[in-house]
Amino acid sequence: EVQLVESGGGLVQPGRSLRLSCTASGFTFGDYAMSWVRQGPGKGLEWVAFIRSKAYGGTTEYAASVKGRFTISRDDSKSIDYLQMNSLKTEDTAIYYCTKSYGGYFESWGQGTLVTVSS
Amino acid sequence: EIVLTQSPGTLSLSPGERATLSCRASQSVSSNYLAWYQQKPGQAPRLLIYAASSRATGTPDRFSGSGSGTDFTFTISRLEPEDFAVYYCQQYGNSLWTFGQGTKVEIK
């Protein structure tokens, strides 16, 4: 059974940094792309970041709203992917979901971790 | 960026009725790379349909998807009590993945 467990969320002041982690199990982590999708309070879904598997170069993509501030990375030896979030803004407040991606769609989802950016 | 517009915003129906949801793209979705997700309150989204019409593992056959280019449809043939939720479409035809704003299917 695929399991994705996010951690690292919390309350942070604007302008500060936070790193989210996603620990995966139940599948061969290194064979899959991974993504982060967020959902602001009472809002819809917004794709944030994507990292391909090493077989496809491990390259990354970012939404315009976070490009230059967020960095996605992966450690295949530990089956963990990360989302480093810098220069956080109040509008980054959301539940952040880790997803296992296949062909660009989001096949499996974690339960999410809440990030609140507020002074 | 491809903008996805879902309609209606809210659909009020009774159990046993048919639900038809629309997702319209601002430009053609490459290779019909469109997915549908279900989200219930307090839960993570769940993939139901990918490639416009292929059911994900475990998706009941009362759920179906169709369409191509810029116009896509998601249908629930007979609503079960557990189907009342918010549904999102998502395109993955290019490297800037986008979601529609969602359609809420509520009990009438």
Side-chain angles (χ1 to χ4, degrees):
Chain A
E1 179 194 2
V2 172
Q3 284 202 321
L4 301 169
V5 179
E6 302 93 339
S7 58
L11 174 63
V12 61
Q13 293 179 326
R16 305 297 291 264
S17 299
L18 204 60
R19 189 178 81 159
L20 306 182
S21 300
C22 171
T23 303
S25 61
F27 64 102
T28 305
F29 182 79
D31 288 349
Y32 289 87
M34 300 295 292
S35 281
W36 289 88
V37 175
R38 69 184 180 184
Q39 186 168 36
K43 295 187 177 179
L45 302 171
E46 179 188 17
W47 164 73
V48 172
F50 177 93
I51 185 166
R52 296 176 177 83
S53 66
K54 292 290 193 293
Y56 288 88
T59 52
T60 57
E61 308 286 350
Y62 298 94
S65 58
V66 307
K67 196 168 187 178
R69 299 189 298 122
F70 289 13
T71 302
I72 188 173
S73 60
R74 62 190 300 154
D75 185 338
D76 291 350
S77 68
K78 296 181 179 178
S79 296
I80 299 178
D81 77 286
Y82 303 98
L83 185 68
Q84 177 68 42
M85 304 184 294
N86 298 333
S87 303
L88 282 161
K89 305 175 181 180
T90 55
E91 52 263 42
D92 295 320
T93 294
I95 297 172
Y96 284 73
Y97 294 103
C98 170
T99 76
K100 170 178 173 266
S101 300
Y102 187 84
Y105 57 86
F106 309 118
E107 191 176 55
S108 303
W109 298 62
Q111 84 289 350
T113 188
L114 178 61
V115 172
T116 303
V117 184
S118 174
S119 54
Chain B
E1 174 182 306
I2 297 178
V3 176
L4 299 178
T5 302
Q6 292 187 240
S7 61
T10 302
L11 200 52
S12 299
L13 295 168
S14 301
E17 290 193 292
R18 182 185 187 89
T20 302
L21 286 61
S22 172
C23 178
R24 181 162 292 179
S26 60
Q27 56 188 279
S28 184
V29 176
S30 173
S31 302
N32 294 333
Y33 284 159
L34 189 108
W36 290 92
Y37 302 84
Q38 176 193 67
Q39 187 178 32
K40 297 179 181 179
Q43 296 185 18
R46 168 195 170 197
L47 174 70
L48 296 178
I49 300 285
Y50 63 94
S53 60
S54 297
R55 290 187 195 88
T57 302
T59 300
D61 60 9
R62 63 180 181 275
F63 295 101
S64 64
S66 64
S68 64
T70 60
D71 288 301
F72 297 87
T73 300
F74 175 80
T75 302
I76 309 172
S77 58
R78 285 179 57 85
L79 282 162
E80 297 288 339
E82 62 268 28
D83 299 337
F84 292 93
V86 179
Y87 292 86
Y88 293 94
C89 59
Q90 176 239 337
Q91 67 80 24
Y92 51 102
N94 62 22
S95 296
L96 291 175
W97 296 270
T98 50
F99 289 90
Q101 82 279 17
T103 290
K104 182 179 182 180
V105 179
E106 65 176 21
I107 300 176
K108 187 175 181 180

